[in-house]
PDB file of all heavy atoms in Angstrom:
ATOM      1  N   THR A 200     -11.355  20.428 -30.193  1.00  0.00           N
ATOM      2  CA  THR A 200     -11.117  19.868 -31.469  1.00  0.00           C
ATOM      3  C   THR A 200      -9.625  19.489 -31.583  1.00  0.00           C
ATOM      4  O   THR A 200      -8.780  20.127 -30.998  1.00  0.00           O
ATOM      5  CB  THR A 200     -11.430  20.841 -32.595  1.00  0.00           C
ATOM      6  OG1 THR A 200     -10.725  22.069 -32.397  1.00  0.00           O
ATOM      7  CG2 THR A 200     -12.937  21.124 -32.630  1.00  0.00           C
ATOM      8  N   VAL A 201      -9.370  18.387 -32.311  1.00  0.00           N
ATOM      9  CA  VAL A 201      -8.020  17.840 -32.417  1.00  0.00           C
ATOM     10  C   VAL A 201      -7.540  17.837 -33.865  1.00  0.00           C
ATOM     11  O   VAL A 201      -8.299  17.388 -34.710  1.00  0.00           O
ATOM     12  CB  VAL A 201      -7.954  16.366 -31.821  1.00  0.00           C
ATOM     13  CG1 VAL A 201      -6.503  15.855 -31.895  1.00  0.00           C
ATOM     14  CG2 VAL A 201      -8.463  16.356 -30.467  1.00  0.00           C
ATOM     15  N   ARG A 202      -6.359  18.405 -34.106  1.00  0.00           N
ATOM     16  CA  ARG A 202      -5.777  18.269 -35.482  1.00  0.00           C
ATOM     17  C   ARG A 202      -4.314  17.867 -35.350  1.00  0.00           C
ATOM     18  O   ARG A 202      -3.630  18.207 -34.466  1.00  0.00           O
ATOM     19  CB  ARG A 202      -6.004  19.523 -36.224  1.00  0.00           C
ATOM     20  CG  ARG A 202      -5.294  20.731 -35.624  1.00  0.00           C
ATOM     21  CD  ARG A 202      -5.615  22.012 -36.402  1.00  0.00           C
ATOM     22  NE  ARG A 202      -5.015  23.261 -35.743  1.00  0.00           N
ATOM     23  CZ  ARG A 202      -3.932  23.759 -36.165  1.00  0.00           C
ATOM     24  NH1 ARG A 202      -3.255  23.211 -37.234  1.00  0.00           N
ATOM     25  NH2 ARG A 202      -3.355  24.857 -35.574  1.00  0.00           N
ATOM     26  N   THR A 203      -3.900  17.163 -36.392  1.00  0.00           N
ATOM     27  CA  THR A 203      -2.493  16.743 -36.458  1.00  0.00           C
ATOM     28  C   THR A 203      -1.607  17.782 -37.056  1.00  0.00           C
ATOM     29  O   THR A 203      -1.922  18.265 -38.202  1.00  0.00           O
ATOM     30  CB  THR A 203      -2.398  15.440 -37.242  1.00  0.00           C
ATOM     31  OG1 THR A 203      -3.124  14.395 -36.589  1.00  0.00           O
ATOM     32  CG2 THR A 203      -0.869  15.007 -37.325  1.00  0.00           C
ATOM     33  N   LEU A 204      -0.601  18.293 -36.357  1.00  0.00           N
ATOM     34  CA  LEU A 204       0.366  19.165 -36.884  1.00  0.00           C
ATOM     35  C   LEU A 204       1.400  18.480 -37.658  1.00  0.00           C
ATOM     36  O   LEU A 204       1.817  18.909 -38.733  1.00  0.00           O
ATOM     37  CB  LEU A 204       0.957  20.037 -35.759  1.00  0.00           C
ATOM     38  CG  LEU A 204       0.055  21.006 -35.011  1.00  0.00           C
ATOM     39  CD1 LEU A 204       0.908  21.649 -33.908  1.00  0.00           C
ATOM     40  CD2 LEU A 204      -0.491  22.023 -35.999  1.00  0.00           C
ATOM     41  N   TYR A 205       1.956  17.324 -37.175  1.00  0.00           N
ATOM     42  CA  TYR A 205       3.052  16.618 -37.809  1.00  0.00           C
ATOM     43  C   TYR A 205       2.925  15.144 -37.493  1.00  0.00           C
ATOM     44  O   TYR A 205       2.592  14.797 -36.340  1.00  0.00           O
ATOM     45  CB  TYR A 205       4.409  17.122 -37.271  1.00  0.00           C
ATOM     46  CG  TYR A 205       4.676  18.580 -37.382  1.00  0.00           C
ATOM     47  CD1 TYR A 205       4.435  19.486 -36.415  1.00  0.00           C
ATOM     48  CD2 TYR A 205       5.138  19.138 -38.652  1.00  0.00           C
ATOM     49  CE1 TYR A 205       4.747  20.863 -36.495  1.00  0.00           C
ATOM     50  CE2 TYR A 205       5.402  20.536 -38.767  1.00  0.00           C
ATOM     51  CZ  TYR A 205       5.177  21.312 -37.686  1.00  0.00           C
ATOM     52  OH  TYR A 205       5.397  22.699 -37.812  1.00  0.00           O
ATOM     53  N   ASP A 206       3.169  14.366 -38.439  1.00  0.00           N
ATOM     54  CA  ASP A 206       3.324  12.910 -38.207  1.00  0.00           C
ATOM     55  C   ASP A 206       4.542  12.324 -38.902  1.00  0.00           C
ATOM     56  O   ASP A 206       4.816  11.175 -38.838  1.00  0.00           O
ATOM     57  CB  ASP A 206       2.050  12.175 -38.702  1.00  0.00           C
ATOM     58  CG  ASP A 206       1.892  12.188 -40.277  1.00  0.00           C
ATOM     59  OD1 ASP A 206       2.720  12.803 -40.905  1.00  0.00           O
ATOM     60  OD2 ASP A 206       0.825  11.661 -40.701  1.00  0.00           O
ATOM     61  N   ARG A 207       5.319  13.276 -39.378  1.00  0.00           N
ATOM     62  CA  ARG A 207       6.609  12.874 -40.080  1.00  0.00           C
ATOM     63  C   ARG A 207       7.572  14.066 -40.150  1.00  0.00           C
ATOM     64  O   ARG A 207       7.096  15.235 -39.973  1.00  0.00           O
ATOM     65  CB  ARG A 207       6.379  12.334 -41.454  1.00  0.00           C
ATOM     66  CG  ARG A 207       5.857  13.344 -42.491  1.00  0.00           C
ATOM     67  CD  ARG A 207       5.290  12.699 -43.746  1.00  0.00           C
ATOM     68  NE  ARG A 207       4.158  11.935 -43.465  1.00  0.00           N
ATOM     69  CZ  ARG A 207       3.810  10.778 -43.957  1.00  0.00           C
ATOM     70  NH1 ARG A 207       4.599  10.238 -44.901  1.00  0.00           N
ATOM     71  NH2 ARG A 207       2.715  10.123 -43.682  1.00  0.00           N
ATOM     72  N   CYS A 208       8.805  13.783 -40.396  1.00  0.00           N
ATOM     73  CA  CYS A 208       9.843  14.768 -40.679  1.00  0.00           C
ATOM     74  C   CYS A 208      10.494  14.421 -41.981  1.00  0.00           C
ATOM     75  O   CYS A 208      11.269  13.422 -42.010  1.00  0.00           O
ATOM     76  CB  CYS A 208      10.846  14.878 -39.504  1.00  0.00           C
ATOM     77  SG  CYS A 208      12.093  16.117 -39.791  1.00  0.00           S
ATOM     78  N   GLY A 209      10.149  15.061 -43.010  1.00  0.00           N
ATOM     79  CA  GLY A 209      10.565  14.663 -44.367  1.00  0.00           C
ATOM     80  C   GLY A 209      10.009  13.299 -44.724  1.00  0.00           C
ATOM     81  O   GLY A 209       8.812  13.066 -44.667  1.00  0.00           O
ATOM     82  N   ASP A 210      10.940  12.399 -45.027  1.00  0.00           N
ATOM     83  CA  ASP A 210      10.455  10.966 -45.370  1.00  0.00           C
ATOM     84  C   ASP A 210      10.357  10.067 -44.053  1.00  0.00           C
ATOM     85  O   ASP A 210       9.977   8.900 -44.198  1.00  0.00           O
ATOM     86  CB  ASP A 210      11.450  10.306 -46.335  1.00  0.00           C
ATOM     87  CG  ASP A 210      11.441  11.013 -47.686  1.00  0.00           C
ATOM     88  OD1 ASP A 210      10.433  11.510 -48.061  1.00  0.00           O
ATOM     89  OD2 ASP A 210      12.522  10.986 -48.368  1.00  0.00           O
ATOM     90  N   HIS A 211      10.728  10.585 -42.930  1.00  0.00           N
ATOM     91  CA  HIS A 211      10.790   9.753 -41.735  1.00  0.00           C
ATOM     92  C   HIS A 211       9.557   9.996 -40.873  1.00  0.00           C
ATOM     93  O   HIS A 211       9.220  11.055 -40.471  1.00  0.00           O
ATOM     94  CB  HIS A 211      12.019   9.985 -40.875  1.00  0.00           C
ATOM     95  CG  HIS A 211      13.327   9.867 -41.673  1.00  0.00           C
ATOM     96  ND1 HIS A 211      13.750   8.562 -41.976  1.00  0.00           N
ATOM     97  CD2 HIS A 211      14.225  10.715 -42.173  1.00  0.00           C
ATOM     98  CE1 HIS A 211      14.895   8.633 -42.643  1.00  0.00           C
ATOM     99  NE2 HIS A 211      15.182   9.931 -42.714  1.00  0.00           N
ATOM    100  N   MET A 212       8.851   8.828 -40.621  1.00  0.00           N
ATOM    101  CA  MET A 212       7.664   8.951 -39.748  1.00  0.00           C
ATOM    102  C   MET A 212       8.066   9.199 -38.336  1.00  0.00           C
ATOM    103  O   MET A 212       9.108   8.638 -37.849  1.00  0.00           O
ATOM    104  CB  MET A 212       6.871   7.680 -39.785  1.00  0.00           C
ATOM    105  CG  MET A 212       6.387   7.294 -41.219  1.00  0.00           C
ATOM    106  SD  MET A 212       5.062   8.457 -41.854  1.00  0.00           S
ATOM    107  CE  MET A 212       3.727   7.968 -40.596  1.00  0.00           C
ATOM    108  N   LEU A 213       7.336  10.017 -37.555  1.00  0.00           N
ATOM    109  CA  LEU A 213       7.494  10.095 -36.141  1.00  0.00           C
ATOM    110  C   LEU A 213       7.162   8.725 -35.526  1.00  0.00           C
ATOM    111  O   LEU A 213       6.118   8.114 -35.849  1.00  0.00           O
ATOM    112  CB  LEU A 213       6.725  11.269 -35.577  1.00  0.00           C
ATOM    113  CG  LEU A 213       6.947  12.592 -36.117  1.00  0.00           C
ATOM    114  CD1 LEU A 213       6.061  13.671 -35.380  1.00  0.00           C
ATOM    115  CD2 LEU A 213       8.387  13.054 -35.992  1.00  0.00           C
ATOM    116  N   LYS A 214       7.966   8.298 -34.499  1.00  0.00           N
ATOM    117  CA  LYS A 214       7.683   6.979 -33.987  1.00  0.00           C
ATOM    118  C   LYS A 214       6.998   6.950 -32.657  1.00  0.00           C
ATOM    119  O   LYS A 214       5.981   6.333 -32.420  1.00  0.00           O
ATOM    120  CB  LYS A 214       9.071   6.225 -33.814  1.00  0.00           C
ATOM    121  CG  LYS A 214       9.722   5.982 -35.203  1.00  0.00           C
ATOM    122  CD  LYS A 214       8.879   5.208 -36.125  1.00  0.00           C
ATOM    123  CE  LYS A 214       9.592   4.951 -37.438  1.00  0.00           C
ATOM    124  NZ  LYS A 214      10.706   3.979 -37.374  1.00  0.00           N
ATOM    125  N   GLY A 215       7.539   7.816 -31.716  1.00  0.00           N
ATOM    126  CA  GLY A 215       6.932   7.840 -30.345  1.00  0.00           C
ATOM    127  C   GLY A 215       7.128   9.173 -29.673  1.00  0.00           C
ATOM    128  O   GLY A 215       7.762   9.220 -28.618  1.00  0.00           O
ATOM    129  N   PRO A 216       6.622  10.286 -30.201  1.00  0.00           N
ATOM    130  CA  PRO A 216       6.756  11.570 -29.497  1.00  0.00           C
ATOM    131  C   PRO A 216       6.363  11.477 -28.033  1.00  0.00           C
ATOM    132  O   PRO A 216       5.337  10.864 -27.705  1.00  0.00           O
ATOM    133  CB  PRO A 216       5.846  12.500 -30.277  1.00  0.00           C
ATOM    134  CG  PRO A 216       5.770  11.918 -31.670  1.00  0.00           C
ATOM    135  CD  PRO A 216       5.803  10.359 -31.405  1.00  0.00           C
ATOM    136  N   ASN A 217       7.267  11.965 -27.211  1.00  0.00           N
ATOM    137  CA  ASN A 217       7.116  11.713 -25.768  1.00  0.00           C
ATOM    138  C   ASN A 217       6.918  12.953 -24.934  1.00  0.00           C
ATOM    139  O   ASN A 217       6.002  13.061 -24.136  1.00  0.00           O
ATOM    140  CB  ASN A 217       8.321  10.896 -25.262  1.00  0.00           C
ATOM    141  CG  ASN A 217       8.211  10.461 -23.818  1.00  0.00           C
ATOM    142  OD1 ASN A 217       8.496  11.198 -22.989  1.00  0.00           O
ATOM    143  ND2 ASN A 217       7.763   9.227 -23.673  1.00  0.00           N
ATOM    144  N   ASP A 218       7.866  13.870 -24.994  1.00  0.00           N
ATOM    145  CA  ASP A 218       7.830  15.052 -24.100  1.00  0.00           C
ATOM    146  C   ASP A 218       8.124  16.358 -24.966  1.00  0.00           C
ATOM    147  O   ASP A 218       8.759  16.153 -26.108  1.00  0.00           O
ATOM    148  CB  ASP A 218       8.874  14.903 -22.996  1.00  0.00           C
ATOM    149  CG  ASP A 218       8.487  15.808 -21.812  1.00  0.00           C
ATOM    150  OD1 ASP A 218       7.537  16.515 -21.886  1.00  0.00           O
ATOM    151  OD2 ASP A 218       9.358  15.898 -20.843  1.00  0.00           O
ATOM    152  N   LEU A 219       7.702  17.462 -24.465  1.00  0.00           N
ATOM    153  CA  LEU A 219       7.916  18.647 -25.295  1.00  0.00           C
ATOM    154  C   LEU A 219       8.178  19.913 -24.435  1.00  0.00           C
ATOM    155  O   LEU A 219       7.750  19.885 -23.213  1.00  0.00           O
ATOM    156  CB  LEU A 219       6.645  18.905 -26.152  1.00  0.00           C
ATOM    157  CG  LEU A 219       5.328  19.368 -25.501  1.00  0.00           C
ATOM    158  CD1 LEU A 219       4.277  19.673 -26.548  1.00  0.00           C
ATOM    159  CD2 LEU A 219       4.727  18.299 -24.542  1.00  0.00           C
ATOM    160  N   GLN A 220       8.721  20.909 -25.066  1.00  0.00           N
ATOM    161  CA  GLN A 220       8.946  22.232 -24.396  1.00  0.00           C
ATOM    162  C   GLN A 220       8.856  23.319 -25.425  1.00  0.00           C
ATOM    163  O   GLN A 220       9.622  23.423 -26.341  1.00  0.00           O
ATOM    164  CB  GLN A 220      10.410  22.140 -23.835  1.00  0.00           C
ATOM    165  CG  GLN A 220      10.893  23.464 -23.245  1.00  0.00           C
ATOM    166  CD  GLN A 220      10.110  23.803 -21.940  1.00  0.00           C
ATOM    167  OE1 GLN A 220      10.249  23.086 -20.920  1.00  0.00           O
ATOM    168  NE2 GLN A 220       9.401  24.927 -21.898  1.00  0.00           N
ATOM    169  N   LEU A 221       7.850  24.237 -25.154  1.00  0.00           N
ATOM    170  CA  LEU A 221       7.675  25.357 -26.012  1.00  0.00           C
ATOM    171  C   LEU A 221       8.869  26.281 -25.830  1.00  0.00           C
ATOM    172  O   LEU A 221       9.380  26.397 -24.716  1.00  0.00           O
ATOM    173  CB  LEU A 221       6.371  26.091 -25.775  1.00  0.00           C
ATOM    174  CG  LEU A 221       5.109  25.547 -26.553  1.00  0.00           C
ATOM    175  CD1 LEU A 221       4.833  24.095 -26.129  1.00  0.00           C
ATOM    176  CD2 LEU A 221       3.962  26.428 -26.274  1.00  0.00           C
ATOM    177  N   ASP A 222       9.346  26.887 -26.947  1.00  0.00           N
ATOM    178  CA  ASP A 222      10.554  27.718 -26.871  1.00  0.00           C
ATOM    179  C   ASP A 222      10.231  29.232 -26.669  1.00  0.00           C
ATOM    180  O   ASP A 222      11.166  30.017 -26.541  1.00  0.00           O
ATOM    181  CB  ASP A 222      11.431  27.595 -28.058  1.00  0.00           C
ATOM    182  CG  ASP A 222      10.851  28.007 -29.434  1.00  0.00           C
ATOM    183  OD1 ASP A 222       9.721  28.593 -29.313  1.00  0.00           O
ATOM    184  OD2 ASP A 222      11.465  27.800 -30.492  1.00  0.00           O
TER     185      ASP A 222
END
Side-chain angles (χ1 to χ4, degrees):
T200 56
V201 182
R202 62 187 176 96
T203 298
L204 291 177
Y205 304 95
D206 64 3
R207 67 193 67 217
C208 180
D210 295 331
H211 301 289
M212 299 292 292
L213 300 180
K214 298 300 181 69
N217 185 278
D218 199 6
L219 74 171
Q220 175 69 63
L221 273 62
D222 65 5

